[in-house]
Amino acid sequence: MTATYQVHDGVAVITLDHPPVNGLGHATRTGIMNGMSRALDDAAVEAIVITGAGKAFSGGADIREFGTPKAFQEPSLATVIDTIERSAKPVVAAIHSVAMGGGLELALGCHYRLATRQAKIALPEVNLGLLPGAGGTQRLPRAIGLEAALNTIVSGKTMLAEKFAGTGLFNEIVADDVVVAAVKFARTAAERAGPHPKLRDIPVQHAHAEAYLGFARSTVAASAGPYPAPLACVNAVAASLRPFDEGIEAERDGFMSLMNTPESRALRQAFLGERAASRIPDVPADTPTRAIAKVAVIGAGTMGGGIAMNFLNAGVPVTLLEMKADALERGVGAIRRNYENTAKKGKLTQDEVDARIARLATTLSYDDIRDADLVIEAVFEDLEVKKSVFQRLDEVAKPGAILASNTSTLDIDAIASFTKRPRDVIGMHFFSPANVMKLLEVVRGAQTAKDVLATVMQLAKKIGKVAVVSGVCDGFIGNRMIEQYSRQAGFLLDEGALPQQVDRAIERFGFAMGPFRMIDMAGNDISWAIRKRRAVEQPEFNYSKTGDLLCEMGRFGQKVQAGWYDYKPGDRRAYPSAVVDEMIVQHSRDLGIARRKISDEEIVERLVFALVNEGALILQEGIASKASDIDMVYLHGYGFPKFRGGPMQYADEIGLYAVAQAIRRYARGYQGHAWQVAPLLQRLADAGASFND
Ligand code: 3HC
Ligand code: NAI
C-alpha cells in the first residue's frame, strides 16, 4: 500500500505512505490516482485532502526510477497533478514536513495548500542536474513571483514554510495538526460556489522581465561551471511568462534533455551512492549499536586536534591525551584558534565557541580515559608506537569500548593483534583537515565485530561524514588508488611531459588540484619516505625516479618554497621551475628516452584510468563492496570532479570496453608492465556491463 484513504465528515484524506520519504514512484502515483478516483466517484465526499505519513509529505519523484521506463509510465506525475488540478471537488495539500521536488509540485497542483511553520520546502532538482519537471517552473512563479521562484529553483535551497507566509504558496501556515486544519479548510472550501483556484490561471507579471532575465542568465552562466542545469532552470522559469501550456512544454523539453546529460547521471548516482555507502552487505540495518557518550583521542597533532573537533561540534565530550604537556598545549591552542577564526568569520557565536571548548578535557594520563566509549588513536605513523598505545589501551579501556586507529598506511589487523580484544578494534581514517573533509574511511579488520562497524557508521553520520567501509590493504581504498595515479604522473614526466602540463590537463578535467601541486602542498618528503620503505619491501615496484631526485635537491614542497614548482614568500601560487624542468629533461636523457609531445587527452586518460583499474582490483578483492563506495571516496576525499560522478561512474560513462582498450594501448608504451587490465574490468567490458549496474 502506497497511499491510504479515509473519509472524515465528507472530506477524503489521501495519505501518501511509502517510506522512507513518500517518493513519487509509479506505485505511489497509482495510489494517489486510486484515491482521487474513489473520492471523485463518491457523492458523499465533498472535498479532498492530500498529506503524507511519516517524515515527509513527499521527497519528490523517485530518483531510483530515473533512467528506467517506470519514471514516465502512466500515471505519470504530470497526469496525477493534472487530475488533481482539474478536480471539481477542492483539493487541499496538508504539508507537515518535507515537500521537495515533485512533492512540492504535487502540492502546487492542489487548489489550496496548508503547511506547518517548520515544514521544509524546496525544488532541489538542480542539485541532481535537473530542473523541476512536473510544473514547478511554471506554477511557483505564479505563486510567489518570478524573481523569488527563480532564486528558489536555481539555488535548490531548502527553506522553512514560514518564510512563504503571505505568498500565494500557502493559504495558511498552521501551528498545530495540519491535517485537522486542512480538513476544516477543505470543508469550508467545499461550501463555496464556483471553480476552485488553479495556479495555472494566474499570469506571471514582471515590470522589467527582459532585463531581469538577461541579468539572471549572465549571473547564473558565470557561476554554473560545467553544469547545464542552472541555466536551463532560468530558461524554464522564463517560459512561465508565456501561456501556461506553452511554458509546461518548454519545461518538459528542458527536463528531458537534462535527464540525459552525463552531469545529471553523475549527480544522481552521487546522491544514491552517498546513502548506499552506509549499507554493508553482511551487516543488517537493525544491527545493535553501542552507546557512544564519551570519546578519547590519543595524540593532539595535526589529525588528533581535527578529529576531536568533529565530536566537540556534535556535542560529544572529548578527552585529548598526549605524551607531553607542551604537545598538548600546542594541540589545544590549534583547536582554540580554529574555532576563533570561524567565529571571526561570523560562522559561530562566541557562546558556541565556549560551549565546544568546554566539552574538551585534556590529560597526560591514561587513567583519565578509562570511561571512554570510543578511543581514536592519532599518534605517529610507526607500528611500534601504535603497539605501545594499543597495549596500554587494552589495559585501561573499559570492556566494550571501541578502539580505533587513524593510521593511513599500517595494518589494522596487526594493530588489533596488540590487544586481547581485536573484535573491538577498527580503523577510522580521517582526511586532513579532519574537521573539514567529509570523507571517513572505516577500515574493517578481519575480526572487527559487526556492532562495532555499525556503531562507527552511525557515529560518522552524527558528525557529518560520508563514511565508506574499506577492507584492510596497503593504502585502503583512496591512497591505494592514488598511488597508481601518481605513478602514471611520474612516468609522464619521464616520457615528455612537465609538471605544469600534467596539472593543467587534469585540472581542466575538473580535479581541484593536479598531482604535482597537491604533493607540493602535502610535502614531497613524506612520499619519499614511503618510497624508501617500499624499495626495501618491494624492490620490483617501478616508478619514476624524478620524485626522489627532487627530494635530493631538498625541494620538499611549499613548506620550503621549492618543490615541483617555485614558490614566493606570502604567495601560495605555484610557478613553473626552470631547475625542475631541467632535472626532468636530464633524467629522460639519462634513461635514454626520446622525449615526445604528450597530449592532454593522454594525460587525463592515463591518470584517471589508473584510478579506475586499481578501483576494479579493489572491488574484485572485496576491499570495497560496491563501485559507488569507491566513487564516494574520490568525490569526498580526493577532489574528483563531482559532475563526473567519481572514477567508476566516469568509466561507466565512457564505456568499460573503451577504458580497457585504452589501458591495453598505454601498456605497450614506456613502463608498460605497470599496466595490466584488471580482470574484473575486462570481464565487465566483455559482457558490455558497467561497475554501477
Ligand atoms: N527518491 C528516492 N529515494 C529517495 C528520495 C527520492 N526523491 N529522497 C530520499 N530518498 C531515500 C534515500 O535514498 C534514502 O534511502 P535509503 O534509506 O534506502 O538509503 C532515504 O530516502 C532517506 O534519505 P536521507 O538519508 O537523505 O534522509 P533525510 O531524512 O536525511 O533527508 C530528504 C530526507 C530531505 C527528503 C532527502 O533525502 C532529500 O533531499 N532527498 C532528495 C530530494 C530531491 O532531490 N527531490 C527531487 C527529486 S527529482 C524530482 O522530484 C523531479 C520532479 O521535478 C519531476
Ligand atoms: P602529528 O605528528 O601531527 O601528531 C602526532 C601526535 O601524536 C604528536 O602530537 C605526538 O606528540 C603525539 N604522540 C606520539 N606518540 C604518542 C603516544 N605514545 N601517546 C600520546 N601521544 C603521542 O601526526 P599526524 O599528521 O596528526 O598523524 C597522526 C596519525 O594520523 C598518523 O597515524 C598518520 O598516518 C595519520 N593520518 C595523517 C594524515 C595527515 O594528513 N597528516 C591523514 C590521515 C591519517
Side-chain angles (χ1 to χ4, degrees):
M1 191 171 44
T2 52
T4 61
Y5 182 88
Q6 285 177 323
V7 178
H8 298 285
D9 204 9
V11 177
V13 177
I14 300 171
T15 306
L16 313 193
D17 192 4
H18 187 42
V21 299
N22 301 323
L24 294 164
H26 182 254
T28 313
R29 302 195 301 265
T30 307
I32 303 171
M33 287 300 272
N34 291 343
M36 284 300 296
S37 298
R38 248 173 108 175
L40 293 172
D41 291 348
D42 185 346
V45 167
E46 291 172 10
I48 302 158
V49 166
I50 299 183
T51 190
K55 69 175 178 183
F57 173 80
S58 169
D62 189 335
I63 299 165
R64 283 164 227 271
E65 278 189 357
F66 289 170
T68 75
K70 273 203 164 168
F72 301 104
Q73 194 176 320
E74 291 293 350
S76 68
L77 192 50
T79 302
V80 175
I81 292 172
D82 200 42
T83 306
I84 291 169
E85 197 171 53
R86 283 170 193 271
S87 161
K89 299 179 183 179
V91 186
V92 183
I95 300 173
H96 68 295
S97 177
V98 172
M100 288 188 179
L104 183 59
E105 293 174 296
L106 178 78
L108 288 166
C110 296
H111 305 115
Y112 308 97
R113 287 159 296 278
L114 271 61
T116 59
R117 262 177 218 300
Q118 302 304 312
K120 291 181 178 154
I121 305 300
L123 287 177
E125 285 84 346
V126 71
N127 300 325
L128 300 172
L130 298 170
L131 55 80
T137 63
Q138 305 307 300
R139 290 191 182 90
L140 194 64
R142 289 168 161 83
I144 65 173
L146 186 76
E147 293 193 20
L150 192 136
N151 289 335
T152 305
I153 291 168
V154 170
S155 75
K157 275 199 189 127
T158 302
M159 284 177 268
L160 294 180
E162 64 186 356
K163 273 201 83 168
F164 295 98
T167 71
L169 183 52
F170 295 116
N171 298 84
E172 277 180 22
I173 299 282
V174 300
D176 305 321
D177 189 326
V178 72
V179 178
V180 171
V183 168
K184 196 166 152 223
F185 189 99
R187 210 174 293 124
T188 313
E191 284 162 12
R192 277 199 298 272
H196 296 283
K198 300 182 179 78
L199 281 172
R200 62 176 287 146
D201 294 339
I202 302 173
V204 178
Q205 281 164 350
H206 191 290
H208 311 284
E210 214 161 294
Y212 168 68
L213 288 168
F215 164 76
R217 278 196 184 93
S218 55
T219 317
V220 169
S223 62
Y227 295 100
L231 198 55
C233 284
V234 178
N235 290 335
V237 173
S240 70
L241 291 159
R242 308 205 314 245
F244 183 82
D245 289 331
E246 279 181 35
I248 282 284
E249 214 176 295
E251 177 192 90
R252 193 157 310 149
D253 290 348
F255 182 75
M256 295 307 278
S257 71
L258 287 175
M259 184 66 95
N260 290 318
T261 58
E263 292 83 4
S264 176
R265 277 193 291 272
L267 293 176
R268 273 143 45 198
Q269 181 63 28
F271 176 87
L272 295 173
E274 244 175 62
R275 281 146 188 88
S278 60
R279 285 195 286 276
I280 309 164
D282 63 333
V283 181
D286 59 358
T287 303
T289 53
R290 302 184 188 181
I292 305 291
K294 284 188 173 173
V295 171
V297 175
I298 317 287
T302 312
M303 294 306 286
I307 293 170
M309 287 173 74
N310 283 295
F311 294 97
L312 300 174
N313 298 348
V316 182
V318 177
T319 303
L320 195 52
L321 183 149
E322 256 290 347
M323 263 187 318
K324 292 196 191 115
D326 59 339
L328 197 49
E329 224 167 89
R330 262 199 313 277
V332 174
I335 294 178
R336 201 181 285 277
R337 264 196 312 284
N338 208 315
Y339 279 136
E340 274 156 13
N341 284 339
T342 314
K344 264 188 219 145
K345 288 182 202 147
K347 292 183 186 164
L348 270 184
T349 64
Q350 193 55 45
D351 284 353
E352 283 164 332
V353 172
D354 295 344
R356 287 171 199 209
I357 296 281
R359 284 182 208 119
L360 179 67
T362 57
T363 185
L364 298 173
S365 162
Y366 278 82
D367 282 336
D368 293 333
I369 60 164
R370 284 181 189 276
D371 61 347
D373 303 299
L374 165 69
V375 184
I376 305 174
E377 164 279 308
V379 302
F380 300 139
E381 186 73 341
D382 179 307
L383 199 59
E384 282 307 308
V385 181
K386 307 269 189 207
K387 184 175 181 179
S388 68
V389 170
F390 274 81
Q391 283 176 337
R392 191 80 184 97
L393 287 176
D394 200 20
E395 287 162 18
V396 301
K398 69 179 189 187
I402 296 176
L403 308 181
S405 172
N406 180 49
T407 181
S408 35
T409 55
L410 301 174
D411 180 350
I412 290 293
D413 291 330
I415 292 175
S417 76
F418 302 144
T419 72
K420 288 187 278 308
R421 37 176 131 175
R423 289 170 50 78
D424 295 339
V425 177
I426 194 164
M428 287 177 77
H429 184 213
F430 288 84
F431 287 70
S432 184
N435 56 316
V436 176
M437 295 293 286
K438 291 270 283 180
L439 178 64
L440 176 67
E441 274 184 326
V442 175
V443 188
R444 181 181 189 173
Q447 296 192 58
T448 305
K450 288 186 183 175
D451 66 334
V452 168
L453 196 55
T455 305
V456 169
M457 295 305 280
Q458 191 185 58
L459 193 63
K461 221 176 202 174
K462 183 168 174 179
I463 61 171
K465 300 291 178 199
V466 174
V468 173
V469 177
S470 168
V472 177
C473 68
D474 199 354
F476 314 129
I477 297 173
N479 284 343
R480 174 170 160 182
M481 286 165 65
I482 210 75
E483 181 170 45
Q484 297 303 329
Y485 165 97
S486 308
R487 207 172 164 207
Q488 287 299 328
F491 292 150
L492 284 162
L493 298 187
D494 293 353
E495 292 170 54
L498 292 172
Q500 47 275 23
Q501 188 199 354
V502 175
D503 283 351
R504 200 186 50 229
I506 201 75
E507 285 163 14
R508 280 199 188 137
F509 172 79
F511 263 90
M513 206 183 277
F516 296 106
R517 282 214 294 141
M518 173 82 92
I519 199 149
D520 267 0
M521 224 171 73
N524 290 290
D525 47 333
I526 296 172
S527 43
W528 193 26
I530 296 173
R531 283 196 300 274
K532 281 183 192 162
R533 199 180 67 206
R534 186 129 204 192
V536 177
E537 291 166 4
Q538 226 184 318
E540 73 287 357
F541 187 80
N542 59 336
Y543 60 91
S544 164
K545 300 293 183 291
T546 48
D548 297 349
L549 295 172
L550 188 80
C551 288
E552 284 165 20
M553 293 159 77
R555 300 187 64 103
F556 293 158
Q558 266 192 31
K559 58 187 164 190
V560 292
Q561 293 189 1
W564 290 106
Y565 294 93
D566 292 337
Y567 297 90
K568 297 178 187 169
D571 180 355
R572 300 200 126 219
R573 271 173 301 180
Y575 296 91
S577 164
V579 184
V580 172
D581 293 356
E582 175 47 35
M583 176 273 284
I584 293 168
V585 171
Q586 181 59 44
H587 183 60
S588 305
R589 236 179 261 137
D590 293 345
L591 291 172
I593 295 174
R595 291 177 66 82
R596 65 186 169 89
K597 186 167 163 28
I598 297 178
S599 70
D600 285 2
E601 187 194 3
E602 176 173 345
I603 292 172
V604 168
E605 288 194 342
R606 284 176 59 176
L607 263 50
V608 176
F609 294 169
L611 294 176
V612 173
N613 202 43
E614 197 64 23
L617 289 173
I618 281 171
L619 258 186
Q620 179 183 314
E621 293 166 20
I623 296 292
S625 64
K626 45 196 172 309
S628 63
D629 283 357
I630 296 174
D631 286 338
M632 293 312 109
V633 166
Y634 267 76
L635 292 184
H636 296 290
Y638 291 82
F640 197 95
K642 191 165 183 189
F643 69 95
R644 301 198 191 269
M648 311 313 267
Q649 171 68 16
Y650 177 68
D652 282 350
E653 277 291 334
I654 299 281
L656 300 191
Y657 185 80
V659 173
Q661 285 287 89
I663 294 177
R664 216 171 289 109
R665 195 168 63 245
Y666 294 127
R668 290 188 206 114
Y670 169 73
Q671 299 286 22
H673 51 290
W675 284 91
Q676 251 169 1
V677 180
L680 174 69
L681 170 56
Q682 191 62 60
R683 204 163 60 241
L684 293 173
D686 291 343
S690 341
F691 288 122
N692 275 316
D693 267 350

